[in-house]
Amino acid sequence: MSQYRTFTAQDAVAYAQQFGGLEDPSSLVEAQEVGDGNLNLVFKIFDRAGVSRIVVKQALPYVRCVGESWPLTLDRARLEAQTLVEHYQHSPQHTVKIHHFDPELAVMVMEDLSSHKIWRGELINNVYYPQAARQLGEYLAHTLFHTSDFYLHPHAKKAQVAQFINPEMCEITEDLFFNDPYQIHERNNYPTALENDVAALRNDHQLKIAVASLKHRFFSQAEALLHGDIHSGSIFVADGSLKAIDAEFGYFGPIGFDVGTAIGNLLLNFCGLPGHLGIRDAAAGREQRLIDIQQLWSTFAERFQALATEKSRDAALCVPGYASEFLKKVWHDAIGFCGTELIRRSVGLSHVADIDTIRDDEMRHECLRHAITLGRALIVIADRIDSLDELVARVRQYS
């Protein structure tokens, strides 16, 4: 049995040579640590010509930005690998390929995506990928439908729910999304200039009731195998291609959580664009984000509906019209979860570069206030937003 140790660059090269699946493993000679997240080490493995060929990722036993005082389960590496393997079965064109994983070392070897770029950075730089929103909708529809009760036999579904129980990583989500921003907590991270705005969240009883309802849904609705953290920093894009990575938060939960997280990150970019671009370019970029959101949801809903019509196996769930009713629920859930993503990324521990890299303090603070205000509104009125047009109108109203 393997015994856990933190990898060095040399360890990563040796591991890639052994498990990378290359015809000439000895061609792999160098590793570069490229991880910029809080939970993992990520090494790109290069050949003699300096070409990156393989990626080795290892889970750390603690949150990197906090240190050993916040320990983490290493089992999340198994859960991440198995989530990505499962998602790859249903959406291979939009999921990173896992070549090998070792649960003892909490390490996996995966497809190199050096030909792609992280979508968040491209959105910030106003680089447009016209296929990306639709492809993300396709990924969500295929992965969430094929791991849901519509498709899986009840016995298989229950077995998978047990396989993907992820209590420690779910607890992080539960705290960061639904607890910390609405109370005084040492993990919260926001400028002092926003103290009044954040205090208003803590004192907003209507908001906290709505957040409690969303948290209860996150607790109790095991609808499909979620990615669990499908933000624009967990997505690679290239011309004609989109790939999801980083699924260590994978577990069975409400379908609207993944959809809402994806929409929320497009709205975070919407909020931050005035801090990065001139007035005209920011306005055009914002309009494009609204179009992206419409394309994402429309693609997801249409593809999920088509899959339900073609492939649903449960007699009751096959009843004509039920899938449409179910998608209405997913839509309302997604709007609420979208709002919690906006607030937790503005007030809580983990922010996004879309806003955090704005150089002008006053502009950055204004963009944060925008995200908080919009997030609060979407959470409270989620059940009253019945269409894409209404969502767009609400976003414009709070802009």
Side-chain angles (χ1 to χ4, degrees):
M1 298 292 286
S2 302
Q3 186 170 352
Y4 184 84
R5 66 186 189 281
T6 302
F7 269 23
T8 64
Q10 292 76 17
D11 291 329
V13 171
Y15 204 81
Q17 289 173 343
Q18 184 175 2
F19 296 109
L22 271 64
E23 290 186 9
D24 180 12
S26 66
S27 67
L28 299 176
V29 296
E30 185 181 1
Q32 180 182 356
E33 215 272 289
V34 297
D36 60 357
N38 289 320
L39 306 180
N40 309 287
L41 294 171
V42 181
F43 298 93
K44 295 179 76 169
I45 313 299
F46 296 85
D47 64 17
R48 294 189 187 92
V51 177
S52 180
R53 302 291 301 278
I54 293 290
V55 170
V56 174
K57 178 176 180 178
Q58 185 181 39
L60 291 169
Y62 51 83
V63 177
R64 207 171 187 180
C65 68
V66 177
E68 295 183 10
S69 63
W70 190 350
L72 289 176
T73 173
L74 292 174
D75 190 47
R76 72 182 192 277
R78 173 190 66 83
L79 288 157
E80 175 180 9
Q82 291 180 348
T83 298
L84 290 170
V85 167
E86 183 69 25
H87 282 190
Y88 188 87
Q89 291 183 34
H90 308 301
S91 186
Q93 69 273 42
H94 300 315
T95 310
V96 66
K97 185 174 183 179
I98 304 300
H99 298 299
H100 170 84
F101 76 96
D102 182 332
E104 296 290 327
L105 282 170
V107 68
M108 67 189 78
V109 182
M110 67 182 72
E111 171 187 9
D112 181 83
L113 294 174
S114 294
S115 60
H116 292 59
K117 295 183 178 180
I118 295 174
W119 196 20
R120 188 183 304 286
E122 299 297 273
L123 289 170
I124 293 170
N125 292 325
N126 203 27
V127 179
Y128 179 52
Y129 291 81
Q131 85 295 334
R134 291 190 181 91
Q135 290 181 338
L136 180 54
E138 287 278 346
Y139 164 80
L140 291 169
H142 280 277
T143 57
L144 297 172
F145 171 82
H146 285 102
T147 57
S148 75
D149 293 295
F150 285 89
Y151 183 75
L152 292 176
H153 187 279
H155 293 179
K157 167 76 179 312
K158 291 175 176 62
Q160 285 205 19
V161 170
Q163 176 187 349
F164 287 96
I165 286 175
N166 197 356
E168 292 185 84
M169 300 305 286
C170 284
E171 184 177 14
I172 293 175
T173 299
E174 291 150 13
D175 285 340
L176 298 187
F177 271 81
F178 309 114
N179 291 347
D180 292 359
Y182 310 98
Q183 61 184 342
I184 295 173
H185 200 285
E186 62 183 6
R187 283 193 295 259
N188 286 337
N189 174 26
Y190 55 87
T192 55
L194 269 64
E195 182 57 48
N196 290 339
D197 304 87
V198 178
L201 298 177
R202 297 196 295 265
N203 296 322
D204 190 331
H205 185 68
Q206 182 185 18
L207 172 65
K208 292 171 79 170
I209 288 289
V211 170
S213 178
L214 289 164
K215 184 178 182 181
H216 199 185
R217 280 174 251 178
F218 186 83
F219 275 150
S220 60
Q221 296 181 357
E223 292 175 346
L225 178 58
L226 308 185
H227 177 285
D229 197 25
I230 189 69
H231 56 74
S232 54
S234 293
I235 296 169
F236 275 88
V237 291
D239 289 338
S241 178
L242 176 144
K243 295 271 189 173
I245 63 168
D246 289 353
E248 58 258 76
F249 288 85
Y251 100 111
F252 272 79
I255 287 174
F257 184 80
D258 265 7
V259 179
T261 300
I263 293 173
N265 276 265
L266 291 172
L267 286 178
L268 283 162
N269 182 260
F270 177 97
C271 293
L273 281 177
H276 295 282
L277 305 174
I279 294 174
R280 183 173 298 177
D281 286 343
R286 282 182 155 192
E287 288 303 307
Q288 187 57 60
R289 291 300 83 74
L290 295 179
I291 293 170
D292 292 340
I293 290 167
Q294 293 175 72
Q295 291 177 342
L296 190 163
W297 172 259
S298 294
T299 302
F300 165 78
E302 289 168 9
R303 176 54 60 194
F304 193 100
Q305 178 71 66
L307 289 168
T309 300
E310 297 166 10
K311 293 187 171 185
S312 289
R313 297 173 173 178
D314 184 88
L317 305 189
C318 284
V319 172
Y322 177 70
S324 295
E325 289 301 309
F326 176 74
L327 285 170
K328 292 178 183 177
K329 172 198 172 296
V330 172
W331 168 255
H332 289 301
D333 283 355
I335 299 305
F337 288 124
C338 168
T340 62
E341 175 75 353
L342 286 166
I343 288 178
R344 73 105 172 184
R345 293 291 194 176
S346 304
V347 174
L349 174 69
S350 182
H351 289 202
V352 293
D354 307 70
I355 297 178
D356 255 22
T357 57
I358 296 171
R359 294 180 180 179
D360 182 85
D361 288 347
E362 289 189 13
M363 176 60 78
R364 186 172 64 257
H365 297 167
E366 189 58 34
C367 292
L368 286 169
R369 286 191 183 96
H370 183 191
I372 292 168
T373 301
L374 179 58
R376 188 264 176 200
L378 294 181
I379 293 169
V380 170
I381 64 174
D383 290 343
R384 287 175 268 158
I385 299 176
D386 293 323
S387 68
L388 277 166
D389 288 343
E390 288 183 39
L391 174 61
V392 169
R394 293 294 186 174
V395 172
R396 294 190 195 283
Q397 176 184 348
Y398 290 96
S399 297

